[in-house]
Every structure is written in C-alpha cells, then in structure tokens.
Amino acid sequence: MPAKYRKENCSSSVRDFFTDRWGREIIVTGTHSYEWSVTIRSHISITSIRFRTRIEAVKLINELKR
C-alpha cells in the first residue's frame, strides 16, 4: 500500500535559491507536493507567487534560470 502524505505533517522548506541574470534573488520554497512558492526579491520590491503543484512552479523557475 503506497504511503499517503498529510499536508499538516509536511513542513515547508527552501528547495532552491539562485540569482537570475538581472541580479534578483529567487527563493523557491515548497511543502512536498502540496504547495510551492517562488519569491523574487530585487532592490526595489519583493514578489511572491504561489503554485498548487511543483510542476507549475518548475515552469517559472526554468524561465528565470535562462
């Protein structure tokens, strides 16, 4: 029987941290397969985008890493 994960038992952690070509810091946090967040921090502002799944977040992350 496959293991089932419960959202309340999973902790959110930093999954990736990098600087894009414009010098913005990109911080990727995630809670297993439940919720992912990409935070873009520049000298002027901080923007946080939430995603329902890792797959959706990876699309944006790949664009930012180019």
Side-chain angles (χ1 to χ4, degrees):
M1 184 172 187
K4 292 186 179 182
Y5 296 98
R6 297 180 62 121
K7 186 175 181 178
E8 55 272 1
N9 293 334
C10 296
S11 62
S12 182
S13 60
V14 174
R15 305 294 180 162
D16 197 4
F17 179 86
F18 62 94
T19 303
D20 70 0
R21 62 182 166 191
W22 294 288
R24 301 177 300 184
E25 294 178 342
I26 311 299
I27 305 162
V28 182
T29 57
T31 306
H32 191 59
S33 63
Y34 295 104
E35 183 178 293
W36 286 71
S37 175
V38 176
T39 302
I40 303 170
R41 190 170 84 180
S42 69
H43 299 291
I44 300 170
S45 66
I46 297 174
T47 304
S48 185
I49 305 166
R50 290 181 171 234
F51 297 93
R52 298 180 86 191
T53 64
R54 181 187 65 83
I55 296 168
E56 294 172 357
V58 167
K59 290 177 186 178
L60 176 63
I61 293 165
N62 287 336
E63 287 180 25
L64 293 170
K65 283 190 173 182
R66 290 185 204 175

